[in-house]
Amino acid sequence: MASKHTVHMNQGQGETSYAHNSTIQNAEQNKMKPLIEAAILDLGSNNNTLLPTKMVIADLGCSSGPNALVLVSIAVKAIHSYCIQFQRPPPEVCVLLNDLPDNDFNTVVKSLVKLHSNDPVVVTGVSSGSFYERLFTSGSLHLVCSSNSLHWLSKAPEVLTSNQISAYGMDEYARRESLPMVLEAYGQQFRKDFTLFLELRAKELVPGGRMVVSLPGRRSDELASKFSHIWEAIAQILRVMASEGVISKLKFESFYVPMYAPSDEELREIIQEEGSFSISEMRVHDLTSGGDSTLIIPSRFITLLRAVFEPIIVQHFGNVMDEFVRTAEQRWSQPGSLQEEISGNPRVMLAVSLAKA
Protein backbone atom coordinates (compact mmCIF):
# COMPACT_ATOMS: atom_id res chain seq x y z
CA MET A 1 0.00 0.00 0.00
CA ALA A 2 2.06 2.93 -1.27
CA SER A 3 1.31 6.24 0.39
CA LYS A 4 1.69 8.25 -2.78
CA HIS A 5 -1.22 6.39 -4.35
CA THR A 6 -3.66 6.17 -1.44
CA VAL A 7 -3.05 8.80 1.23
CA HIS A 8 -5.17 11.91 1.06
CA MET A 9 -7.68 13.47 3.42
CA ASN A 10 -11.44 13.58 2.89
CA GLN A 11 -12.05 16.25 0.28
CA GLY A 12 -14.59 19.06 -0.03
CA GLN A 13 -16.39 21.05 2.65
CA GLY A 14 -18.79 18.44 4.07
CA GLU A 15 -19.32 17.30 7.65
CA THR A 16 -16.63 14.60 7.44
CA SER A 17 -14.19 16.63 5.31
CA TYR A 18 -10.68 17.38 6.49
CA ALA A 19 -11.42 21.08 6.02
CA HIS A 20 -14.01 20.90 8.84
CA ASN A 21 -12.07 18.49 11.08
CA SER A 22 -8.52 19.77 11.41
CA THR A 23 -8.47 21.95 14.52
CA ILE A 24 -5.77 19.84 16.22
CA GLN A 25 -3.57 20.22 13.14
CA ASN A 26 -4.23 23.97 13.12
CA ALA A 27 -3.23 24.26 16.80
CA GLU A 28 0.07 22.56 15.99
CA GLN A 29 0.70 24.84 13.02
CA ASN A 30 0.26 27.90 15.22
CA LYS A 31 2.81 26.51 17.68
CA MET A 32 5.33 26.49 14.84
CA LYS A 33 5.07 30.28 14.44
CA PRO A 34 8.06 31.17 16.70
CA LEU A 35 10.26 28.64 14.89
CA ILE A 36 9.32 30.01 11.46
CA GLU A 37 9.85 33.61 12.59
CA ALA A 38 13.26 32.69 14.01
CA ALA A 39 14.17 30.93 10.75
CA ILE A 40 13.35 34.08 8.76
CA LEU A 41 15.48 36.16 11.14
CA ASP A 42 18.37 33.71 10.75
CA LEU A 43 18.05 33.75 6.96
CA GLY A 44 18.59 37.50 7.03
CA SER A 45 21.49 37.30 9.46
CA ASN A 46 23.22 34.54 7.50
CA ASN A 47 23.12 36.52 4.25
CA ASN A 48 24.83 39.56 5.83
CA THR A 49 22.92 41.81 3.42
CA LEU A 50 19.65 40.90 5.16
CA LEU A 51 17.12 38.90 3.17
CA PRO A 52 17.70 38.10 -0.53
CA THR A 53 15.74 40.10 -3.08
CA LYS A 54 13.79 37.01 -4.15
CA MET A 55 12.61 34.20 -1.86
CA VAL A 56 10.86 30.88 -2.45
CA ILE A 57 8.87 29.23 0.35
CA ALA A 58 7.36 25.73 0.11
CA ASP A 59 4.89 23.89 2.33
CA LEU A 60 5.17 20.13 1.82
CA GLY A 61 2.03 18.14 2.59
CA CYS A 62 -0.22 21.19 2.65
CA SER A 63 -3.48 19.16 2.44
CA SER A 64 -6.58 21.34 1.89
CA GLY A 65 -9.02 23.54 3.75
CA PRO A 66 -8.16 26.49 6.00
CA ASN A 67 -4.89 24.93 7.21
CA ALA A 68 -3.32 24.86 3.74
CA LEU A 69 -2.17 28.48 3.95
CA VAL A 70 -1.30 28.77 7.65
CA LEU A 71 2.44 28.01 7.56
CA VAL A 72 3.24 29.99 4.42
CA SER A 73 1.13 32.92 5.67
CA ILE A 74 3.16 32.96 8.89
CA ALA A 75 6.35 32.98 6.80
CA VAL A 76 5.21 35.79 4.47
CA LYS A 77 4.13 37.97 7.43
CA ALA A 78 7.45 37.27 9.15
CA ILE A 79 9.37 38.37 6.04
CA HIS A 80 7.41 41.62 5.75
CA SER A 81 7.75 42.33 9.49
CA TYR A 82 11.49 41.75 9.22
CA CYS A 83 11.76 44.21 6.35
CA ILE A 84 9.76 46.86 8.21
CA GLN A 85 11.96 46.40 11.29
CA PHE A 86 15.19 46.79 9.34
CA GLN A 87 13.76 49.37 6.90
CA ARG A 88 14.51 47.28 3.85
CA PRO A 89 12.42 46.79 0.70
CA PRO A 90 10.56 43.45 0.87
CA PRO A 91 11.78 40.66 -1.40
CA GLU A 92 9.64 39.20 -4.15
CA VAL A 93 8.18 36.04 -2.62
CA CYS A 94 7.07 32.87 -4.38
CA VAL A 95 4.88 30.55 -2.29
CA LEU A 96 4.55 26.92 -3.41
CA LEU A 97 2.15 24.39 -1.89
CA ASN A 98 2.79 20.67 -2.32
CA ASP A 99 0.82 17.50 -1.72
CA LEU A 100 0.03 14.20 -3.41
CA PRO A 101 -1.92 14.19 -6.70
CA ASP A 102 -5.19 13.07 -5.06
CA ASN A 103 -5.21 16.07 -2.72
CA ASP A 104 -8.12 18.51 -3.10
CA PHE A 105 -6.12 21.03 -5.12
CA ASN A 106 -9.28 22.72 -6.44
CA THR A 107 -9.89 24.07 -2.94
CA VAL A 108 -6.20 24.87 -2.44
CA VAL A 109 -5.88 26.89 -5.65
CA LYS A 110 -8.97 28.97 -4.80
CA SER A 111 -7.56 29.78 -1.37
CA LEU A 112 -4.21 30.92 -2.82
CA VAL A 113 -5.88 34.08 -4.10
CA LYS A 114 -5.75 35.36 -0.51
CA LEU A 115 -1.94 35.36 -0.60
CA HIS A 116 -1.35 36.78 -4.07
CA SER A 117 -0.14 40.37 -4.03
CA ASN A 118 1.42 42.88 -6.42
CA ASP A 119 2.85 45.21 -3.77
CA PRO A 120 4.76 43.68 -2.12
CA VAL A 121 5.10 40.96 -4.73
CA VAL A 122 3.79 37.55 -3.61
CA VAL A 123 3.16 34.97 -6.33
CA THR A 124 1.79 31.49 -5.70
CA GLY A 125 1.69 28.01 -7.19
CA VAL A 126 1.23 24.32 -6.47
CA SER A 127 3.54 21.34 -6.90
CA SER A 128 1.92 17.92 -7.08
CA GLY A 129 3.97 14.91 -6.03
CA SER A 130 5.45 12.89 -3.18
CA PHE A 131 7.94 14.66 -0.92
CA TYR A 132 9.91 11.41 -1.04
CA GLU A 133 10.86 12.45 -4.59
CA ARG A 134 12.51 15.55 -6.07
CA LEU A 135 9.98 18.37 -6.31
CA PHE A 136 12.01 21.50 -7.07
CA THR A 137 15.16 22.53 -8.91
CA SER A 138 18.51 22.55 -7.13
CA GLY A 139 19.23 25.49 -4.85
CA SER A 140 15.85 27.11 -5.47
CA LEU A 141 14.19 27.11 -2.01
CA HIS A 142 14.89 29.40 0.94
CA LEU A 143 12.42 27.98 3.46
CA VAL A 144 10.62 24.63 3.65
CA CYS A 145 7.76 24.02 6.08
CA SER A 146 5.79 20.88 6.83
CA SER A 147 3.29 20.02 9.54
CA ASN A 148 1.44 16.78 10.32
CA SER A 149 2.72 15.06 7.18
CA LEU A 150 6.09 13.40 7.72
CA HIS A 151 4.68 10.62 9.90
CA TRP A 152 3.15 9.25 6.67
CA LEU A 153 5.56 6.76 5.13
CA SER A 154 6.28 6.26 1.45
CA LYS A 155 4.83 2.76 1.83
CA ALA A 156 4.17 0.08 4.42
CA PRO A 157 7.36 -1.85 5.32
CA GLU A 158 8.15 -4.24 2.47
CA VAL A 159 9.50 -6.88 4.85
CA LEU A 160 5.92 -7.18 6.17
CA THR A 161 3.93 -6.88 2.96
CA SER A 162 6.15 -9.19 0.88
CA ASN A 163 6.16 -11.88 3.59
CA GLN A 164 2.44 -11.44 4.35
CA ILE A 165 3.17 -10.58 7.98
CA SER A 166 0.15 -8.82 9.41
CA ALA A 167 0.67 -5.51 11.15
CA TYR A 168 -2.34 -6.18 13.36
CA GLY A 169 -3.69 -9.73 13.11
CA MET A 170 -6.85 -11.42 14.36
CA ASP A 171 -5.05 -13.79 16.73
CA GLU A 172 -4.16 -11.87 19.91
CA TYR A 173 -1.27 -14.15 20.95
CA ALA A 174 0.30 -14.13 17.48
CA ARG A 175 -0.09 -10.37 17.32
CA ARG A 176 1.75 -9.85 20.61
CA GLU A 177 4.53 -12.19 19.52
CA SER A 178 5.08 -10.40 16.21
CA LEU A 179 4.56 -6.83 17.48
CA PRO A 180 8.25 -6.06 18.29
CA MET A 181 9.30 -7.13 14.79
CA VAL A 182 6.44 -5.18 13.21
CA LEU A 183 7.31 -2.00 15.11
CA GLU A 184 10.98 -2.42 14.20
CA ALA A 185 10.03 -2.73 10.54
CA TYR A 186 7.96 0.46 10.72
CA GLY A 187 10.81 2.25 12.51
CA GLN A 188 13.30 1.20 9.83
CA GLN A 189 10.94 2.35 7.07
CA PHE A 190 10.63 5.74 8.76
CA ARG A 191 14.40 6.01 9.07
CA LYS A 192 14.82 5.22 5.38
CA ASP A 193 12.08 7.65 4.31
CA PHE A 194 13.08 10.56 6.54
CA THR A 195 16.73 10.19 5.52
CA LEU A 196 15.68 10.40 1.87
CA PHE A 197 13.48 13.42 2.65
CA LEU A 198 16.46 15.24 4.18
CA GLU A 199 18.74 14.35 1.25
CA LEU A 200 16.21 15.65 -1.29
CA ARG A 201 15.50 18.89 0.53
CA ALA A 202 19.22 19.54 0.99
CA LYS A 203 19.57 19.52 -2.80
CA GLU A 204 16.62 21.89 -3.29
CA LEU A 205 17.50 24.46 -0.60
CA VAL A 206 19.92 27.34 -1.11
CA PRO A 207 23.11 27.36 0.99
CA GLY A 208 22.05 28.29 4.52
CA GLY A 209 18.41 27.53 3.69
CA ARG A 210 16.03 26.69 6.51
CA MET A 211 13.47 23.99 7.21
CA VAL A 212 10.82 23.90 9.96
CA VAL A 213 8.80 20.69 10.32
CA SER A 214 6.53 19.06 12.88
CA LEU A 215 5.04 15.59 13.16
CA PRO A 216 3.33 13.36 15.74
CA GLY A 217 5.76 11.34 17.83
CA ARG A 218 6.58 10.13 21.30
CA ARG A 219 9.06 11.07 24.01
CA SER A 220 12.41 9.31 23.96
CA ASP A 221 11.79 7.74 27.37
CA GLU A 222 8.59 6.10 26.07
CA LEU A 223 9.30 2.66 24.61
CA ALA A 224 7.96 1.82 21.17
CA SER A 225 5.86 -1.00 22.57
CA LYS A 226 2.71 -0.31 20.57
CA PHE A 227 1.33 1.72 17.71
CA SER A 228 -0.02 5.23 18.23
CA HIS A 229 -3.45 5.47 19.84
CA ILE A 230 -5.19 6.41 16.59
CA TRP A 231 -3.64 3.47 14.68
CA GLU A 232 -4.51 1.12 17.57
CA ALA A 233 -8.09 2.41 17.70
CA ILE A 234 -8.62 2.04 13.95
CA ALA A 235 -7.13 -1.47 13.96
CA GLN A 236 -9.28 -2.58 16.90
CA ILE A 237 -12.45 -1.19 15.31
CA LEU A 238 -11.65 -3.00 12.06
CA ARG A 239 -10.80 -6.16 14.01
CA VAL A 240 -14.29 -6.18 15.55
CA MET A 241 -15.79 -5.66 12.10
CA ALA A 242 -13.77 -8.64 10.81
CA SER A 243 -14.87 -10.84 13.70
CA GLU A 244 -18.51 -9.92 12.93
CA GLY A 245 -18.07 -10.76 9.26
CA VAL A 246 -18.57 -7.18 8.07
CA ILE A 247 -15.15 -7.25 6.40
CA SER A 248 -12.96 -10.16 5.35
CA LYS A 249 -10.46 -11.41 7.93
CA LEU A 250 -7.93 -11.85 5.13
CA LYS A 251 -8.50 -8.26 4.06
CA PHE A 252 -8.03 -7.12 7.64
CA GLU A 253 -4.75 -8.99 8.02
CA SER A 254 -3.41 -7.46 4.80
CA PHE A 255 -4.23 -3.89 5.89
CA TYR A 256 -1.29 -1.62 6.69
CA VAL A 257 -1.50 2.03 7.71
CA PRO A 258 1.73 3.59 6.36
CA MET A 259 2.47 5.86 9.32
CA TYR A 260 4.95 5.94 12.19
CA ALA A 261 5.44 8.16 15.24
CA PRO A 262 9.17 8.45 16.05
CA SER A 263 10.71 9.51 19.34
CA ASP A 264 12.53 12.82 19.59
CA GLU A 265 15.77 10.89 20.03
CA GLU A 266 15.13 8.87 16.85
CA LEU A 267 14.48 12.07 14.93
CA ARG A 268 17.63 13.74 16.26
CA GLU A 269 19.74 10.67 15.46
CA ILE A 270 18.50 10.42 11.86
CA ILE A 271 19.14 14.13 11.24
CA GLN A 272 22.65 13.92 12.65
CA GLU A 273 23.52 10.73 10.76
CA GLU A 274 22.27 12.09 7.43
CA GLY A 275 24.45 15.17 7.94
CA SER A 276 22.95 17.77 5.59
CA PHE A 277 21.36 19.86 8.36
CA SER A 278 22.19 21.22 11.79
CA ILE A 279 19.45 21.33 14.42
CA SER A 280 18.71 24.92 15.46
CA GLU A 281 15.95 23.95 17.88
CA MET A 282 13.78 20.94 18.71
CA ARG A 283 10.57 21.16 20.73
CA VAL A 284 8.48 18.38 22.24
CA HIS A 285 4.99 19.15 23.50
CA ASP A 286 1.75 17.44 24.38
CA LEU A 287 -0.35 16.60 21.33
CA THR A 288 -3.56 17.90 22.95
CA SER A 289 -2.23 21.05 24.64
CA GLY A 290 -3.84 24.07 23.06
CA GLY A 291 -6.09 21.84 20.97
CA ASP A 292 -9.85 21.51 20.83
CA SER A 293 -11.16 19.83 24.00
CA THR A 294 -14.36 18.83 22.20
CA LEU A 295 -12.31 16.27 20.26
CA ILE A 296 -12.49 13.93 23.27
CA ILE A 297 -16.25 13.70 22.63
CA PRO A 298 -16.69 10.36 20.81
CA SER A 299 -18.82 11.72 17.96
CA ARG A 300 -16.25 14.44 17.19
CA PHE A 301 -13.33 12.05 17.49
CA ILE A 302 -14.96 9.56 15.11
CA THR A 303 -15.58 12.33 12.60
CA LEU A 304 -11.90 13.28 12.86
CA LEU A 305 -10.92 9.66 12.17
CA ARG A 306 -13.14 9.67 9.09
CA ALA A 307 -11.68 12.95 7.83
CA VAL A 308 -8.15 11.54 7.89
CA PHE A 309 -8.51 7.79 7.33
CA GLU A 310 -11.73 7.22 5.36
CA PRO A 311 -10.01 7.30 1.92
CA ILE A 312 -7.41 4.69 2.88
CA ILE A 313 -10.00 2.46 4.59
CA VAL A 314 -12.44 2.62 1.67
CA GLN A 315 -9.64 1.99 -0.82
CA HIS A 316 -8.80 -1.30 0.93
CA PHE A 317 -12.16 -2.54 2.25
CA GLY A 318 -14.76 -0.82 0.10
CA ASN A 319 -17.67 1.28 1.31
CA VAL A 320 -17.78 0.17 4.97
CA MET A 321 -17.79 3.52 6.75
CA ASP A 322 -21.34 3.26 8.12
CA GLU A 323 -20.36 0.04 9.91
CA PHE A 324 -17.05 1.58 10.95
CA VAL A 325 -18.89 4.46 12.62
CA ARG A 326 -21.38 2.11 14.30
CA THR A 327 -18.57 -0.06 15.69
CA ALA A 328 -16.61 2.99 16.87
CA GLU A 329 -19.70 4.38 18.62
CA GLN A 330 -20.12 1.09 20.47
CA ARG A 331 -16.45 1.11 21.45
CA TRP A 332 -16.78 4.49 23.18
CA SER A 333 -20.40 4.22 24.33
CA GLN A 334 -19.50 4.29 28.04
CA PRO A 335 -19.08 7.83 29.43
CA GLY A 336 -15.41 8.71 29.86
CA SER A 337 -14.13 5.67 27.94
CA LEU A 338 -12.52 7.73 25.17
CA GLN A 339 -10.92 10.15 27.63
CA GLU A 340 -9.49 7.22 29.59
CA GLU A 341 -8.12 5.65 26.41
CA ILE A 342 -6.46 8.86 25.27
CA SER A 343 -4.94 9.60 28.68
CA GLY A 344 -3.50 6.09 28.79
CA ASN A 345 -1.82 6.54 25.40
CA PRO A 346 0.05 9.86 25.55
CA ARG A 347 1.54 11.16 22.35
CA VAL A 348 3.45 14.33 21.60
CA MET A 349 4.24 16.58 18.68
CA LEU A 350 7.86 16.96 17.60
CA ALA A 351 8.78 20.31 16.04
CA VAL A 352 12.28 20.90 14.71
CA SER A 353 14.01 23.83 13.04
CA LEU A 354 16.89 22.91 10.73
CA ALA A 355 19.58 24.88 8.92
CA LYS A 356 21.26 23.52 5.81
CA ALA A 357 24.84 22.78 6.78
Side-chain angles (χ1 to χ4, degrees), residues 26-279:
N26 178 256
E28 170 55 27
Q29 288 178 315
N30 288 323
K31 288 178 182 177
M32 295 172 67
K33 182 179 178 182
L35 295 179
I36 293 173
E37 290 173 339
I40 295 299
L41 185 63
D42 286 348
L43 273 172
S45 301
N46 290 340
N47 281 292
N48 296 320
T49 56
L50 300 183
L51 294 174
T53 57
K54 298 177 183 178
M55 293 186 68
V56 181
I57 302 166
D59 182 345
L60 307 187
C62 66
S63 194
S64 59
N67 291 353
L69 297 184
V70 171
L71 298 182
V72 291
S73 295
I74 290 172
V76 170
K77 289 177 183 177
I79 290 169
H80 293 161
S81 295
Y82 179 97
C83 293
I84 291 172
Q85 179 183 352
F86 290 95
Q87 299 181 335
R88 301 287 295 185
E92 296 183 355
V93 177
C94 176
V95 171
L96 300 172
L97 299 184
N98 154 265
D99 214 309
L100 294 169
D102 286 334
N103 185 51
D104 188 1
F105 278 112
N106 286 333
T107 303
V108 171
V109 170
K110 290 176 183 177
S111 67
L112 279 174
V113 175
K114 300 174 185 176
L115 269 183
H116 192 90
S117 170
N118 290 322
D119 186 20
V121 174
V122 180
V123 298
T124 60
V126 297
S127 174
S128 173
S130 168
F131 48 53
Y132 296 122
E133 299 172 349
R134 279 292 298 270
L135 294 169
F136 309 104
T137 56
S138 299
S140 61
L141 303 179
H142 295 84
L143 174 67
V144 170
C145 300
S146 181
S147 177
N148 290 284
S149 297
L150 284 165
H151 60 300
W152 289 104
L153 305 174
S154 64
K155 60 182 179 181
E158 194 169 342
V159 66
L160 303 181
T161 57
S162 62
N163 292 299
Q164 297 182 325
I165 300 171
S166 177
Y168 204 106
M170 292 295 296
D171 184 271
E172 182 68 19
Y173 176 78
R175 187 183 76 83
R176 289 181 179 177
E177 286 292 304
S178 64
L179 186 58
M181 180 192 65
V182 170
L183 291 172
E184 174 66 19
Y186 269 85
Q188 288 301 318
Q189 185 65 49
F190 176 81
R191 177 177 292 271
K192 179 181 178 181
D193 284 344
F194 194 65
T195 298
L196 176 61
F197 176 85
L198 294 172
E199 291 172 352
L200 296 172
R201 303 296 81 81
K203 292 177 181 177
E204 295 166 348
L205 281 161
V206 299
R210 297 301 301 264
M211 186 154 63
V212 180
V213 303
S214 74
L215 67 159
R218 65 182 195 282
R219 298 185 187 276
S220 57
D221 56 358
E222 181 186 344
L223 296 176
S225 58
K226 54 186 174 182
F227 288 107
S228 68
H229 169 245
I230 287 182
W231 181 189
E232 286 273 348
I234 290 171
Q236 290 174 19
I237 291 166
L238 292 170
R239 185 183 179 195
V240 171
M241 293 169 62
S243 67
E244 294 177 347
V246 176
I247 58 176
S248 159
K249 291 181 181 179
L250 289 177
K251 277 277 190 180
F252 171 69
E253 294 196 330
S254 63
F255 181 61
Y256 304 88
V257 176
M259 60 186 291
Y260 180 76
S263 71
D264 54 327
E265 194 56 43
E266 276 182 284
L267 201 63
R268 185 182 300 275
E269 184 179 287
I270 295 169
I271 293 166
Q272 291 175 340
E273 286 185 359
E274 193 278 328
S276 296
F277 295 88
S278 60
I279 299 174

